[in-house]
Amino acid sequence: MREKPPLDSNEDGAWLGEGQSETQLAATPDPDGLEENDADRPAWDSKIQYVLAQVGFSVGLGNVWRFPYLCHQNGGGAFMLLYVFLLLIVGVPLFFMELAAGQSIRQGSIGVWKHISPKLAGIGYSSCVVCFYVALYYNVIIAWSLFYLGNSFQYPLPWEHCPTDVTTNDTVKECASSSPTSYFWFRKALNITNSIEESGQFNPIMTGCLLAAWTIVSLAMIKGIKSSAKVMYFSSVFPYVVLFIFLIRGLLLDGAMEGITYMFYPKLEIWGNVQVWRQAATQVFFALGLGYGSVIAYSSYNPVHNNCHRDALLVSCINFMTSVLASLVVFVVLGFRAKDIALRCVVENLGVLKLMSSNGSDQNWWQGFNMTDPSSVSIADYRAWYSHYSSMVGPKITDCSLEEEMNKGVEGTGLAFIAFTEVMAQFPASPFWSTLFFLMLLNLGLSTMFGTMQGILTPLMDNFNLLGRHRTLLTVFSCLLGFIIGLLFTQRSGNYFVTMFDDYSATLPLVIVVIFETISVAWVYGTDRFLDDIEIMLKWRPPVVYKYLWKYVCLMAMIGLLAASLLRMVFKRPTYTAWNQTTASEMSLEYPGWALAMIVMLIVFASLPVPIGYIHSMVKNRIVRSGPSEEDVGQEMHRELYTKCNSSDQLDSNSHQAPSEEGEGCPRTVFLPVGGEHYRLLPQQEEDDEEEEQDTGV
């Protein structure tokens, strides 16, 4: 096989810590092609199990409520085309890069980047911190789903009608001013305060649901991928069954085709809006789970020669098609909801006209309408009449526009817990549909939570032997810690903190993580070397276009996304949507000063491991260089070295590694075995023993 050139001692070698890494790789014969230290590493039982795990992690709640909302707000079909374009040139290459790195190095996110250079170890720690952030608030959404699931086993559903105030025997004012579903969500489920500054007491029901959610995650993760993978068979497949059932049911609804038309109608002018590009890139970024370390962790349990390129294309395609499927379901439901609201508007207005008629008003205005059956009047006929007589009938008569109702975008929790629940309450056998829907949300959330927790646990167990030997205790402790910190979200103001974490705790740190990941592979290790290693792994070389995508396109896209996000935060003060109990309506409020400080601390704390890891490695190298040169002192230093690939730092002739026949020095550090050789850890103790043999003349 072609010998690859060594790293330059003055440039790339400097990034590799001037020969002072955590590991020294030495070529040793291994006919089985397996690493000795990987002999006990868990592995997937089958390829389908692995694919389901990756799909389950990448396909989450964002596919169901975030992507349809962005598509709804940003030009429908035009946004989809933009999303596909960014997915192909940014998403798939970065996803493939993480899959290949994890599969070849067979470590979690910390070990992968430390393997390339100890100065980059902080990237993995940043990924772990962000994963923990996401796990904290993501499990709260699972707790909400458990609460609604428990309330779905009753008829009629508790959010179908407004409750009655027992003191006045009238409908509760807050519910009458909004809607039964909004009232149940904000008052019964969350019991929310008017702003983030009013914390309120703990919500005992939600606290119990959060405890149940963390218990489920702990039990599923307690045996590692062996236990979580078995759950994946159900949690990854079940949501697709439910989505198809809802799509078939939704297509039978009145207004479904109007919703689909609205979804696919392209508004190409949005391509000139920079914010739309930012939102599309962010969605690509989060849809594939880039930067979390979970993709790396899952792929590290694969066989070395698994075709990770095909996996990258397959999972990316499934992810996008899931987003389209979920959008179809959402838009047929929103189309039905919008048409139902518009028709009720027509009936109400005709009722007012009929009342005006009884008071002696001119009846020529509504000639042609069947006033005895207002529901038979179509929206188009009413709007045509309204366009002629609106100036004559006064302000009591309003327009009833299907398009305006469709334009009222519903995002995130509002889509799942308000809009969908409102529609399902109108279905026959509504408890059945509600149970199906919240079981789907529960499984979508759990499959993503398993991947997120794997992104935390795998790197820690790979890099700290003590934690690796106590997997069960580490899992239980992590879940217990997550529950205790998660009590922040079970206050009456907890929903505002969920919004804060969702909007700010992960976005910027993850972009920074992926920027450094791309730099480490494309510029530190080198794209040619990385492609060489992938060629050894796959037995064929990926297209050269990946080299330029990694080095330039992906990197510049991530830097642009980071700059756009920072500028938006600087020039537009962060806000959140609050529920006002008095007016029974939502309003946009600015975060107070202490909340802004909390946002900054979350971002800084997640990003700090990257520079700290670099500085720590630099200081460590400087101490080693400036230390005494006596051999007895050097032998007391318990460290391992990267074998230098230049003549000045080669191991001597008595070392385990023999020089090449051409005398060009040792082979360079690679991720994978080359031919019949395999790279394993060479402990410093073996090196010390050989030096003692030289000193004694043995």
Side-chain angles (χ1 to χ4, degrees):
M1 181 172 290
R2 183 180 70 250
E3 183 74 20
K4 294 175 229 175
L7 291 171
D8 184 86
S9 59
N10 295 323
E11 297 176 5
D12 294 336
W15 268 97
L16 292 174
E18 295 295 349
Q20 295 165 6
S21 168
E22 295 293 331
T23 54
Q24 178 178 12
L25 302 178
T28 59
D30 186 1
D32 296 328
L34 295 173
E35 290 187 11
E36 294 177 12
N37 61 340
D38 282 345
D40 298 328
R41 188 171 185 81
W44 300 105
D45 291 336
S46 64
K47 183 63 175 285
I48 187 66
Q49 192 180 76
Y50 163 69
V51 172
L52 285 177
Q54 287 285 19
V55 169
F57 168 67
S58 64
V59 174
L61 297 172
N63 296 75
V64 174
W65 61 40
R66 181 66 179 165
F67 182 86
Y69 169 77
L70 292 175
C71 187
H72 178 271
Q73 293 295 98
N74 297 311
F79 180 82
M80 283 194 178
L81 293 175
L82 180 60
Y83 180 85
V84 171
F85 172 72
L86 292 175
L87 180 67
L88 291 176
I89 68 167
V90 177
V92 172
L94 291 176
F95 191 60
F96 175 42
M97 182 185 76
E98 289 198 356
L99 287 179
Q103 181 174 306
S104 59
I105 302 175
R106 298 179 65 75
Q107 290 281 313
S109 56
I110 298 174
V112 163
W113 308 116
K114 184 188 288 186
H115 181 100
I116 294 177
S117 172
K119 295 178 182 178
L120 301 174
I123 297 175
Y125 289 101
S126 283
S127 294
C128 288
V129 172
V130 175
C131 275
F132 191 65
Y133 284 168
V134 173
L136 288 176
Y137 76 84
Y138 215 87
N139 228 20
V140 177
I141 301 174
I142 295 176
W144 294 341
S145 301
L146 283 172
F147 174 77
Y148 268 80
L149 180 63
N151 280 278
S152 297
F153 296 100
Q154 50 185 304
Y155 185 83
L157 292 172
W159 52 82
E160 282 193 31
H161 306 290
C162 284
T164 302
D165 191 336
V166 293
T167 58
T168 62
N169 206 28
D170 293 328
T171 301
V172 175
K173 183 180 178 181
E174 185 181 3
C175 183
S177 301
S178 55
S179 68
T181 51
S182 296
Y183 175 80
F184 186 86
W185 166 241
F186 288 113
R187 190 56 48 213
K188 293 297 185 181
L190 301 179
N191 194 20
I192 200 166
T193 58
N194 289 334
S195 73
I196 196 173
E197 297 183 86
E198 304 173 27
S199 60
Q201 66 272 21
F202 286 107
N203 186 331
I205 297 177
M206 281 304 167
T207 303
C209 290
L210 182 64
L211 178 61
W214 276 112
T215 302
I216 294 171
V217 172
S218 178
L219 292 175
M221 298 291 300
I222 206 163
K223 296 296 183 182
I225 63 169
K226 293 297 183 183
S227 57
S228 63
K230 290 180 173 61
V231 181
M232 285 288 184
Y233 281 114
F234 179 78
S235 63
S236 295
V237 175
F238 180 74
Y240 289 96
V241 176
V242 176
L243 283 174
F244 275 110
I245 292 174
F246 266 95
L247 179 60
I248 295 170
R249 178 66 182 88
L251 289 174
L252 301 177
L253 297 173
D254 187 23
M257 295 314 298
E258 285 86 345
I260 293 177
T261 302
Y262 188 93
M263 170 183 168
F264 284 106
Y265 183 78
K267 301 174 184 175
L268 300 179
E269 62 272 11
I270 61 101
W271 287 356
N273 189 335
V274 176
Q275 287 303 317
V276 174
W277 285 78
R278 183 189 67 81
Q279 290 179 333
T282 304
Q283 181 61 22
V284 169
F285 190 81
F286 286 107
L288 295 176
L290 300 172
Y292 287 93
S294 305
V295 172
I296 294 174
Y298 275 159
S299 64
S300 71
Y301 299 117
N302 270 333
V304 172
H305 297 296
N306 173 66
N307 191 341
C308 56
H309 182 261
R310 182 176 58 196
D311 295 342
L313 296 175
L314 177 64
V315 174
S316 300
C317 182
I318 292 175
N319 189 291
F320 172 66
M321 296 308 296
T322 305
S323 297
V324 174
L325 174 62
S327 296
L328 284 170
V329 174
V330 168
F331 274 88
V332 296
V333 168
L334 291 181
F336 166 72
R337 178 173 176 264
K339 192 163 186 178
D340 180 68
I341 293 173
L343 286 173
R344 278 191 278 123
C345 171
V346 171
V347 172
E348 290 173 3
N349 281 304
L350 290 181
V352 174
L353 284 174
K354 189 174 182 179
L355 183 62
M356 291 171 63
S357 171
S358 64
N359 293 332
S361 297
D362 188 354
Q363 300 183 19
N364 293 327
W365 290 345
W366 49 83
Q367 285 183 354
F369 287 169
N370 184 358
M371 299 301 290
T372 59
D373 184 15
S375 60
S376 65
V377 180
S378 69
I379 298 174
D381 290 342
Y382 175 81
R383 296 202 68 198
W385 171 86
Y386 183 81
S387 64
H388 286 90
Y389 295 99
S390 58
S391 60
M392 303 170 62
V393 294
K396 291 184 178 180
I397 306 300
T398 59
D399 191 13
C400 300
S401 172
L402 178 64
E403 289 75 18
E404 285 185 9
E405 292 299 331
M406 286 296 300
N407 284 333
K408 295 177 181 178
V410 186
E411 179 186 12
T413 54
L415 176 64
F417 298 105
I418 297 177
F420 257 86
T421 52
E422 181 180 325
V423 171
M424 287 184 297
Q426 301 180 44
F427 287 175
S430 54
F432 168 77
W433 296 103
S434 181
T435 303
L436 265 188
F437 179 73
F438 289 109
L439 266 178
M440 180 191 72
L441 288 189
L442 179 64
N443 281 276
L444 282 173
L446 284 175
S447 59
T448 301
M449 267 299 296
F450 296 153
T452 304
M453 292 300 295
Q454 205 70 54
I456 301 171
L457 301 176
T458 298
L460 294 178
M461 291 187 294
D462 283 345
N463 285 271
F464 302 97
N465 292 331
L466 179 63
L467 298 180
R469 290 194 298 269
H470 299 88
R471 174 192 295 273
T472 301
L473 287 178
L474 175 63
T475 303
V476 173
F477 175 77
S478 299
C479 293
L480 181 61
L481 180 63
F483 168 71
I484 294 172
I485 300 177
L487 292 176
L488 170 71
F489 306 107
T490 63
Q491 303 176 94
R492 291 181 59 197
S493 60
N495 184 50
Y496 304 136
F497 288 98
V498 171
T499 302
M500 177 195 293
F501 270 67
D502 189 30
D503 290 342
Y504 300 105
S505 70
T507 307
L508 291 178
L510 278 182
V511 174
I512 293 171
V513 165
V514 176
I515 287 174
F516 278 99
E517 286 183 0
T518 310
I519 291 174
S520 64
V521 169
W523 294 96
V524 177
Y525 189 76
T527 50
D528 288 326
R529 296 175 183 276
F530 192 53
L531 288 172
D532 287 344
D533 294 335
I534 295 175
E535 182 180 3
I536 296 169
M537 184 166 60
L538 302 184
K539 304 297 178 66
W540 58 272
R541 192 175 184 84
V544 72
V545 68
Y546 282 110
K547 171 181 177 179
Y548 300 102
L549 289 174
W550 286 329
K551 291 188 72 171
Y552 305 109
V553 178
C554 295
L555 186 58
M556 295 307 298
M558 290 296 101
I559 293 174
L561 177 58
L562 177 63
S565 301
L566 287 173
L567 289 174
R568 187 170 183 271
M569 287 185 63
V570 170
F571 291 108
K572 184 180 179 182
R573 186 183 174 102
T575 61
Y576 66 100
T577 301
W579 177 260
N580 187 290
Q581 184 175 2
T582 305
T583 61
S585 61
E586 292 181 323
M587 59 179 63
S588 183
L589 299 178
E590 292 185 345
Y591 282 107
W594 62 266
L596 290 176
M598 185 176 178
I599 291 172
V600 172
M601 288 179 60
L602 288 172
I603 295 172
V604 171
F605 187 73
S607 306
L608 268 182
V610 177
I612 288 177
Y614 183 85
I615 295 171
H616 174 264
S617 180
M618 291 287 290
V619 172
K620 184 178 178 183
N621 292 345
R622 185 165 296 181
I623 292 174
V624 171
R625 288 198 200 97
S626 61
S629 59
E630 288 79 12
E631 292 183 3
D632 56 335
V633 176
Q635 290 171 1
E636 292 174 1
M637 299 180 66
H638 297 287
R639 59 187 175 85
E640 297 171 343
L641 305 174
Y642 266 116
T643 302
K644 290 292 292 185
C645 294
N646 60 353
S647 58
S648 62
D649 290 289
Q650 290 178 24
L651 297 175
D652 58 54
S653 59
N654 291 325
S655 171
H656 282 289
Q657 181 168 336
S660 62
E661 295 179 2
E662 295 82 79
E664 293 177 358
C666 63
R668 68 167 184 85
T669 300
V670 295
F671 291 169
L672 293 170
V674 181
E677 294 181 335
H678 192 75
Y679 291 89
R680 67 174 177 81
L681 286 172
L682 179 63
Q684 180 66 23
Q685 185 60 45
E686 295 180 16
E687 206 172 73
D688 294 342
D689 292 343
E690 291 177 358
E691 291 175 358
E692 289 179 2
E693 289 176 0
Q694 293 178 24
D695 293 340
T696 56
V698 179

